[in-house]
Amino acid sequence: MRRNQALAKAALRVGVMVMAIAGRAAAQGTSAAPQAETVAAVTDTAPPGDTAAEHIDALEQRIRVLERQLEIDHEAAANARASAATLTAGPEGVQFRSADGAYQVSFRGYVHSDGRFFVNGTAPAASTLELRRVRPIIEGTVARNFGFRLMTDFGEGRVQVQDAYLDARFFPFLRLRTGKFKPPVGLERLQSATALTFVERALPTALVPNRDIGAQLWGDIAGGALSWAAGVFNGVVDGGSGDLDADGRKEVAGRLFAQPFRNRPSGFLRGLGFGIAASHGSEKGTATAPGLASYRSPGQRVFFTLRSNGQAAGTVIADGAHERISPQGYFYRGPLGILAEHVTSSSEVRRDTVSARLTSRAWQVAGGYVLTGEDASFAGVRPRNAFDPSKRAFGAVELTARLSALEADRDAFPVFADPDRSARAAREWAVGVNWYLNRNVKITADYGRTRFDGGAAGRDRAPEEAILTRFQLAF
């Protein structure tokens, strides 16, 4: 009786083992036959014992060996899954990521297909369609604490490296960035081109650096309630980008920006941010490379430039200190967003034997309201529902308005600037609408009017009236 019970017990365990192996093999997508055959072989080749009990003991021993082997196989499969790299694709681009997150590479980019149309006889200017920005982006993390970003622009028929920098980030409050990137001065300049409220940035951006080669320490304190940055750069003209330092002189730039209510779960002032940025450097121009900027209107027409004819006596050149200071801030509350900044740029210049310090000033106040209720932010608007007429979903719609102005130094006229060609001031107002079809696609249409003081022979330059449109694809 006992012998029969033991045999039945062993047979039952073998059966359970075969079913377990078959089930696991099915889950792993492999055939259960080989492993079942192994179990069968175990039972078939069990050494003959003197008694049935010995035979059963041998079988149980082999079953325990098989059970342990299955455990080992399961652990190995789990470890393989844990160490495997992942590939994901979504609204934020395509990303390769190691299992522990220490290594990752993202492929992103955006395209701006623009239209610029001048109306009411604005001249001389040609309405045009253009690819304003075509920017593929590769960025990633190496060994967890190091990062990089590469972004080249193919827009407007040119090839230009916009961003190429390396980051070392061991602590949130202290990080290092070297390479080519945006110096920490202009508020709207620091905003991503994909998050702009209007097609073109406002007039204050004409007075701050675009991108420069340098090294910068930066970080966030108290969870981002206070951000800081300080760096050394080659130095570029107002609104300019550079890849080399022509005169060997350097520029320092820094910025403090506070968001004191950022970490509160709610509150009226949670989206308030304000700060101040400044730069100081020295530049030395030549008759062929004056080292001074021209200023463009929102329609990208030059309305102010200093005298330059390629001859020492007739060309104004940079000749000394160049300083900028910019108080700035924004406020975001639900669907409402407001951004404001003021920029002062002072440069020491010389024309032949005459020297002067010229100061230009610019300011802007821009705002938007998302009619569909989504939150506005410095990083843009994320629609709650993607555009899909079949579901009666239409994305997000934002109405915008802006005032901005730029005033050149009156002492620039007539020695350093030609009053018949350069305007003393430009004042702009603009309204627009942004339609966010989904997280990746935005359509923008703006209308702006810019008045000028001077800039034409004996009179003011004709106002600029422009309709600017943009189809943006970003991922």
Side-chain angles (χ1 to χ4, degrees):
M1 186 63 178
R2 290 183 59 189
R3 177 183 177 186
N4 292 338
Q5 289 177 341
L7 285 172
K9 180 180 177 182
L12 179 60
R13 294 191 63 179
V14 170
V16 171
M17 281 294 301
V18 171
M19 293 176 64
I21 291 171
R24 184 165 290 123
Q28 296 174 352
T30 59
S31 172
Q35 292 171 316
E37 290 172 358
T38 301
V39 174
V42 168
T43 57
D44 292 343
T45 60
D50 295 335
T51 65
E54 292 176 346
H55 192 180
I56 292 170
D57 290 343
L59 288 175
E60 290 181 339
Q61 177 61 29
R62 292 174 183 271
I63 289 172
R64 284 193 289 272
V65 171
L66 289 172
E67 288 177 335
R68 179 54 186 157
Q69 185 60 50
L70 286 174
E71 291 177 357
I72 294 172
D73 292 346
H74 180 74
E75 292 172 357
N79 291 335
R81 287 194 298 271
S83 61
T86 59
L87 170 63
T88 60
E92 305 301 329
V94 179
Q95 183 181 80
F96 292 95
R97 185 176 186 274
S98 64
D100 61 0
Y103 295 84
Q104 63 181 41
V105 177
S106 298
F107 298 92
R108 302 172 49 238
Y110 57 93
V111 176
H112 286 167
S113 179
D114 288 8
R116 185 182 304 138
F117 309 98
F118 296 98
V119 297
N120 292 335
T122 300
S127 299
T128 184
L129 301 173
E130 66 169 348
L131 289 174
R132 184 77 165 86
R133 298 180 179 90
V134 181
R135 297 181 174 180
I137 301 170
I138 302 175
E139 57 189 5
T141 298
V142 177
R144 195 179 302 280
N145 296 316
F146 299 91
F148 67 91
R149 176 183 169 96
L150 304 173
M151 182 174 76
T152 302
D153 188 10
F154 297 91
E156 298 182 322
R158 300 173 297 179
V159 179
Q160 184 175 14
V161 175
Q162 291 289 324
D163 291 332
Y165 60 75
L166 309 174
D167 282 344
R169 45 199 185 203
F170 287 89
F171 309 102
F173 61 87
L174 180 60
R175 286 172 275 191
L176 171 65
R177 174 169 294 174
T178 64
K180 185 177 183 181
F181 53 95
K182 296 177 180 179
V185 182
L187 178 61
E188 194 179 27
R189 172 57 71 189
L190 292 174
Q191 190 174 33
S192 170
T194 61
L196 295 177
T197 306
F198 285 81
V199 171
E200 297 292 346
R201 291 180 170 93
L203 291 165
T205 300
L207 301 185
V208 300
N210 186 345
R211 285 173 171 83
D212 200 359
I213 305 287
Q216 171 182 287
L217 292 173
W218 58 292
D220 296 323
I221 300 172
L226 179 64
S227 301
W228 69 278
V232 179
F233 301 86
N234 282 338
V236 294
V237 301
D238 290 345
S241 295
D243 295 293
L244 294 172
D245 192 347
D247 60 11
R249 305 182 181 194
K250 302 303 178 206
E251 182 175 274
V252 295
R255 178 175 183 256
L256 280 175
F257 197 82
Q259 301 175 80
F261 308 101
R262 170 192 174 96
N263 297 319
R264 294 188 177 183
S266 61
F268 183 79
L269 299 177
R270 187 170 183 271
L272 174 67
F274 55 88
I276 189 167
S279 67
H280 176 85
S282 180
E283 296 172 1
K284 181 70 173 180
T286 65
T288 55
L292 296 169
S294 298
Y295 302 144
R296 292 180 178 272
S297 68
Q300 301 303 294
R301 301 167 61 215
V302 175
F303 68 87
F304 176 86
T305 186
L306 295 167
R307 293 182 183 273
S308 177
N309 61 6
Q311 304 297 319
T315 300
V316 183
I317 62 172
D319 190 34
H322 182 197
E323 299 169 344
R324 307 181 185 94
I325 185 167
S326 174
Q328 54 196 245
Y330 57 61
F331 176 71
Y332 294 98
R333 170 70 175 172
L336 175 67
I338 300 173
L339 182 149
E341 65 179 327
H342 185 283
V343 180
T344 300
S345 176
S346 299
S347 298
E348 293 181 353
V349 302
R350 178 169 59 84
R351 179 187 175 189
D352 200 8
T353 60
V354 182
S355 299
R357 184 180 183 86
L358 302 181
T359 300
S360 297
R361 298 177 176 84
W363 60 270
Q364 72 153 320
V365 177
Y369 189 87
V370 185
L371 296 178
T372 44
E374 288 85 348
D375 289 343
S377 76
F378 190 68
V381 175
R382 178 173 293 189
R384 189 177 297 117
N385 300 302
F387 174 69
D388 187 345
S390 66
K391 299 180 180 177
R392 301 181 66 81
F394 299 96
V397 178
E398 178 185 34
L399 298 182
T400 60
R402 179 173 75 191
L403 296 174
S404 70
L406 189 153
E407 296 182 1
D409 197 319
R410 291 182 176 274
D411 290 340
F413 303 93
V415 175
F416 301 101
D418 184 350
D420 293 339
R421 299 183 57 190
S422 294
R424 299 187 300 275
R427 298 178 177 82
E428 176 226 16
W429 64 264
V431 294
V433 58
N434 293 316
W435 181 16
Y436 302 85
L437 280 73
N438 51 50
R439 291 174 59 181
N440 301 105
V441 178
K442 180 174 76 170
I443 296 175
T444 298
D446 303 333
Y447 170 80
R449 189 175 193 275
T450 304
R451 295 186 299 107
F452 303 96
D453 293 348
R459 58 183 176 82
D460 295 336
R461 175 182 294 204
E464 173 187 283
E465 296 186 50
I467 297 174
L468 307 181
T469 63
R470 170 164 296 163
F471 186 96
Q472 171 179 291
L473 175 64
F475 63 92

